[in-house]
Amino acid sequence: SSVERFVFGIVLETVVEDAQGDVYNAKDVEAAADYYMAFDQSIGLMHERILDKGVLILESYVTRCDCPIAGEQVRKGTWLLAARVRSNEVWEQIKSGGLKAYSIGGYSTRTRAN
């Protein structure tokens, strides 16, 4: 029998500053999640190459309430993604701790708030 290679985690959450110093509101998180499912659904490896069928999206959703998930408190408006890892290379990197989280990849224009 095959081993279940399942990963689940936060893609983007509200109110928390990301590595680039950006903070997203609930509307922006939901818009990003919706766009991803409607037009992309790809998973990349370290923002360098697309994994094609190496990782399959199983679930993508934005939480509608503050709730505990797998023993962690998750804030309302958080984008979560579940996937099955088919790539042996990627699975080994996950198991060794080399890959620990999802990261959004994309481009935007920074504007000043009024």
Side-chain angles (χ1 to χ4, degrees):
S1 84
S2 64
V3 174
E4 180 71 25
R5 296 176 176 190
F6 178 82
V7 291
F8 177 73
I10 293 172
V11 178
L12 195 59
E13 57 187 325
T14 61
V15 189
V16 176
E17 187 173 302
D18 71 6
Q20 288 73 41
D22 294 319
V23 177
Y24 300 90
N25 63 39
K27 181 180 170 187
D28 292 337
V29 172
E30 187 151 6
D34 288 350
Y35 183 91
Y36 175 79
M37 288 305 291
F39 300 107
D40 192 356
Q41 296 187 32
S42 65
I43 296 281
L45 183 60
M46 303 303 292
H47 301 277
E48 294 178 3
R49 66 183 167 96
I50 300 299
L51 294 172
D52 297 319
K53 295 180 182 173
V55 178
L56 302 175
I57 304 304
L58 301 176
E59 298 178 47
S60 174
Y61 61 95
V62 176
T63 58
R64 303 295 179 211
C65 61
D66 293 339
C67 54
I69 299 176
E72 299 288 328
Q73 191 62 27
V74 178
R75 181 180 290 110
K76 177 181 178 179
T78 298
W79 177 12
L80 299 166
L81 191 72
R84 177 162 291 116
V85 180
R86 298 175 68 192
S87 163
N88 291 333
E89 169 197 4
V90 173
W91 187 245
E92 289 305 317
Q93 288 182 50
I94 291 168
K95 286 184 2 184
S96 71
L99 295 175
K100 298 178 182 180
Y102 291 116
S103 174
I104 61 168
Y107 300 94
S108 65
T109 302
R110 188 180 300 270
T111 58
R112 298 183 93 177
N114 293 328

